[in-house]
Amino acid sequence: MRVVVPVSGSDPKTRLSAVLSPDERREFTEAMLADVVDAVTAAGHEPDVISTAPIDCPVPVTVDDRGLDPLVNDLLASTVTADEDGLAVVMADLPLVTQEGIERLFAPDADVVLAPGLDGGTNAFVSRHPEFRVDYHGASIRDHRRIARDVGAETVEVDSRRLATDIDQSSDLAEVLLHSDGAAADWLADAGFSLSLTDGRVTVSRE
Amino acid sequence: MRVVVPVSGSDPKTRLSAVLSPDERREFTEAMLADVVDAVTAAGHEPDVISTAPIDCPVPVTVDDRGLDPLVNDLLASTVTADEDGLAVVMADLPLVTQEGIERLFAPDADVVLAPGLDGGTNAFVSRHPEFRVDYHGASIRDHRRIARDVGAETVEVDSRRLATDIDQSSDLAEVLLHSDGAAADWLADAGFSLSLTDGRVTVSRE
């Protein structure tokens, strides 16, 4: 099983601009990537990190500036053939993910395994079907269910909060501090972020 | 194992007031409750529904107008003793939950099993430890971890997106339409709600 972790290395995580400077967004992106690489490695796989621009990472990085859809669809076309055992794609902004979450993604013996994100995204998948392709725009989980059905791929979904929690905006940061002790959580703590309660709801504040 | 589903029967889900009338909030609450009752029943358990006021439900309802903390802590004190096999509390606003999610909650043989919600809540738990108590205010998952640790309870957490997704506000409604075909999803569709894309993000709109 080839495991690819695509990451945006050029001006990443723009929706965090309200709370992080450009340099900080890059550092935080690298910390989240390190957490994902750790989880994949702990699960016994060697992740291929593919970034749109050079980025610091604990494993070698391939730079490829194509968009996500053409990149992943080319990988699917070249990797998933009848005699190969599949391709997994795991997003780089899932700092809550653990070895167990990766193992649960890889466990089902189905043609396609989807890990839905919150808000309709697809945060990770495995394909063992040569015709499955991706379309990450909009509510991609619906499109991926449809694409899998259209090509006759047996599909299962992994019910994981940790795989579902992608970090895009400031309101997501509390999840990192609540549920992780990895590199991204350390980075946030070092940058002065901590949990706080506002009107009974959990947010983050910065000292 | 006693399984309790507490629900607010009096003016429920006020944070949905922007999109639902008071009568609609009640009907939607009842539909979500029916989904949770279905999941618990399918998992082979008979749920005790305890509501702060009379509410329509497929199983008998006990009315108890105490707040959530005193209610659940009294149940813990009276139910979880050395010779009983524990108490499970599952919130009523989890329309994505399925039989499998309930089975995963019940599977670990630990003193305390916690199912974190998004935003720091605790959406379901099992206690087999006579001293474990709840405090649902604020970031309750942190408090419940601490309380379990303080009483020496061995604790595990269930990593389930479906158990984590509680429906509180309009931005949560898309999750129901994306990931469920139960009573709450049917109710939303009958009320004219459908998924729509706004700036590439998934929301709901009403006809």
Side-chain angles (χ1 to χ4, degrees), chain A residues 15 104 116-120 138-139 141-142 145 157 159-162 164-165 169 175 178-179 195 197 200-202, chain B residues 15 104 116-120 138-139 141-142 145 157 159-162 164-165 169 175 178-179 195 197 200-202:
Chain A
R15 287 166 66 194
R104 285 181 56 207
L118 301 170
D119 299 322
I141 192 69
R142 283 199 304 176
R145 288 171 181 156
E157 296 192 11
D159 175 26
S160 166
R161 178 180 55 85
R162 292 183 175 276
T165 306
Q169 51 193 346
E175 301 297 326
L178 280 164
H179 299 296
L195 291 169
L197 284 177
R201 300 192 207 164
V202 181
Chain B
R15 286 166 67 194
R104 286 180 57 207
L118 302 170
D119 298 322
I141 193 68
R142 283 198 303 177
R145 288 170 181 157
E157 296 191 11
D159 175 27
S160 166
R161 178 181 54 84
R162 292 182 175 276
T165 306
Q169 51 193 346
E175 301 296 327
L178 281 165
H179 299 297
L195 291 170
L197 286 176
R201 301 194 206 162
V202 182

Side-chain angles (χ1 to χ4, degrees), chain B residues 188-201:
Chain B
L188 287 174
D190 287 347
F193 286 91
S194 61
L195 291 170
S196 65
L197 286 176
T198 307
D199 298 333
R201 301 194 206 162

Side-chain angles (χ1 to χ4, degrees), chain A residues 68-78 87 132-135:
Chain A
L68 191 58
D69 282 354
L71 172 70
V72 173
N73 282 328
D74 187 55
L75 289 166
L76 283 166
S78 60
L87 174 71
F132 178 73
R133 295 294 180 270
V134 295
D135 177 354

Side-chain angles (χ1 to χ4, degrees), chain B residues 147-170:
Chain B
I147 293 166
R149 193 171 53 238
D150 288 351
V151 301
E154 181 206 0
T155 304
V156 301
E157 296 191 11
V158 178
D159 175 27
S160 166
R161 178 181 54 84
R162 292 182 175 276
L163 280 167
T165 306
D166 49 321
I167 306 300
D168 283 321
Q169 51 193 346
S170 58

Side-chain angles (χ1 to χ4, degrees), chain B residues 20-75:
Chain B
L20 298 180
S21 72
D23 282 352
E24 289 175 334
R25 284 189 277 120
R26 164 170 293 274
E27 289 172 15
F28 183 57
T29 296
E30 289 169 348
M32 293 197 289
L33 173 62
D35 286 335
V36 173
V37 165
D38 275 357
V40 172
T41 305
H45 297 267
E46 199 170 320
D48 284 352
V49 175
I50 305 182
S51 176
T52 57
I55 192 166
D56 270 358
C57 181
V59 298
V61 173
T62 303
V63 173
D64 187 323
D65 64 0
R66 284 179 291 176
L68 192 59
D69 282 354
L71 172 70
V72 173
N73 282 329
D74 187 55
L75 289 167

